[in-house]
Amino acid sequence: METIRHSCLSLLIGLIIVAVVVVLPSGKASAHHDAAHNAKMKELDSASEALYRYMQDGNGAKAQLEMDTIVKVVQTLSFQGLTSVEGIHALSETIMDTREALARSQSQPEEWRMTSSRLRLAIDSLLHKEQTLWIQYYKLFTDDLRQLSEARTGADAVRVKQAFNQLKEHYETIRPAAVIQREPSLITRADSWMSYMENLCGGKTVDPQALGGALSGGTDVIHDLFGKKRTEPTMLPLTGTSNPWQWGLLIGGWIIVALTYTGIRNYNAYQEVRPAAGNKGRSGWRL
């Protein structure tokens, strides 16, 4: 079974690569090719969206029809300028995984949900370079990292493992889409970080210091993966202390001191200006 799968995958990748290197003549033929290419892209987008919906609903018969359409279009679509060889391989493998899930004798809702989500995001990533769907997973990633950090602070091995499994599921869902759009070196970094995190989070005990360092280092990886600036916050809680409320009191104290100092300066300035101007002063900030 595994040999047949690899043979089919190799054949599909070969057909796609052949489509990439095909060069059509210019002029009217080129314009006709562009129109046909755009029509195929729209058909692929529509079929992947319908496949996702049917597989989420457990409608195998209709999902199979859409899968047949996807395979037909992909085999004849020119991928030149759309993605790299790594992206072609990721898309092909995702298509094969989804076909295998559909071909099983009994519906497996969780597997259908996962594979259809991956394929939908991968095709969308191929067709839409801007406002692509998989980027929306950034918020889920930051939530996962927050839960990991909180579990690490409490040295709760069960919560750490649960939080990491959620992060891993989200990463596996968006990975094919990310491979299609991102540089291979960045995907390698993300894969390595996830592998390291899995080793840290899979044990019966937690090493808070090692896990904290891994979370800190992973912040840049996540920013780069989703195309965010590294100065943007990842919404992680303060770590390195088992009493985070002390940080809250300290920060609150700084804010109170700053506001008090500003208020005193504004009051003194108002007292000095009022006798000369005779008008009411105006102070305050709008955030």
Side-chain angles (χ1 to χ4, degrees):
M1 181 66 183
E2 188 67 21
T3 302
I4 296 175
R5 180 183 183 278
H6 284 300
S7 298
C8 293
L9 179 59
S10 298
L11 177 60
L12 181 58
I13 293 174
L15 289 173
I16 295 174
I17 293 177
V18 169
V20 172
V21 300
V22 171
V23 180
L24 297 179
S26 58
K28 294 182 179 180
S30 179
H32 176 73
H33 168 259
D34 290 342
H37 179 74
N38 291 336
K40 288 180 180 180
M41 292 179 68
K42 290 181 180 179
E43 184 179 10
L44 182 60
D45 196 17
S46 176
S48 68
E49 183 177 1
L51 173 70
Y52 170 78
R53 184 171 62 253
Y54 290 140
M55 290 188 72
Q56 295 287 316
D57 294 340
N59 192 331
K62 290 186 177 180
Q64 187 60 59
L65 293 176
E66 299 299 338
M67 174 55 70
D68 293 341
T69 299
I70 289 173
V71 173
K72 180 187 68 175
V73 173
V74 165
Q75 288 178 341
T76 59
L77 183 68
S78 173
F79 287 77
Q80 189 172 11
L82 293 180
T83 187
S84 61
V85 173
E86 290 83 2
I88 293 173
H89 186 277
L91 176 62
S92 302
E93 190 170 24
T94 306
I95 290 174
M96 293 299 298
D97 288 343
T98 309
R99 287 186 71 181
E100 289 181 1
L102 272 174
R104 305 195 198 287
S105 58
Q106 293 183 347
S107 170
Q108 301 184 29
E110 183 64 20
E111 185 181 18
W112 281 25
R113 183 182 68 84
M114 289 292 297
T115 56
S116 62
S117 296
R118 279 198 296 267
L119 183 56
R120 174 59 183 149
L121 292 177
I123 291 178
D124 180 81
S125 177
L126 180 75
L127 304 181
H128 305 285
K129 299 303 180 184
E130 302 293 335
Q131 297 181 343
T132 185
L133 294 174
W134 73 274
I135 296 297
Q136 298 176 12
Y137 273 68
Y138 177 71
K139 179 60 169 61
L140 295 178
F141 270 66
T142 57
D143 288 343
D144 294 339
L145 292 176
R146 180 188 296 110
Q147 293 180 26
L148 265 171
S149 184
E150 291 174 352
R152 180 201 74 87
T153 302
D156 189 334
V158 174
R159 284 187 61 199
V160 165
K161 189 172 184 178
Q162 290 174 344
F164 174 76
N165 287 339
Q166 188 70 24
L167 175 67
K168 182 180 179 182
E169 179 180 326
H170 290 151
Y171 180 70
E172 291 177 348
T173 301
I174 63 100
R175 188 182 184 279
V179 172
I180 289 172
Q181 290 195 349
R182 297 294 185 245
E183 292 294 328
S185 59
L186 179 54
I187 302 301
T188 300
R189 285 176 55 209
D191 287 346
S192 298
W193 179 72
M194 287 295 298
S195 178
Y196 180 54
M197 287 290 293
E198 186 167 20
N199 291 333
L200 290 177
C201 299
K204 296 182 179 180
T205 60
V206 178
D207 184 342
Q209 185 174 1
L211 184 54
L215 286 171
S216 179
T219 298
D220 289 343
V221 176
I222 298 303
H223 276 148
D224 293 343
L225 184 66
F226 285 91
K228 304 293 184 180
K229 295 180 180 179
R230 293 194 177 187
T231 55
E232 294 182 24
T234 53
M235 295 178 286
L236 288 174
L238 291 168
T239 59
T241 175
S242 59
N243 297 306
W245 60 268
Q246 294 178 350
W247 284 96
L249 291 177
L250 182 59
I251 294 173
W254 288 341
I255 294 174
I256 292 173
V257 170
L259 291 176
T260 302
Y261 176 71
T262 302
I264 292 173
R265 290 192 60 185
N266 288 339
Y267 175 77
N268 292 336
Y270 175 73
Q271 291 293 94
E272 293 176 359
V273 172
R274 184 174 59 176
N279 295 322
K280 292 184 178 180
R282 183 178 59 184
S283 62
W285 297 90
R286 176 179 296 177
L287 299 178

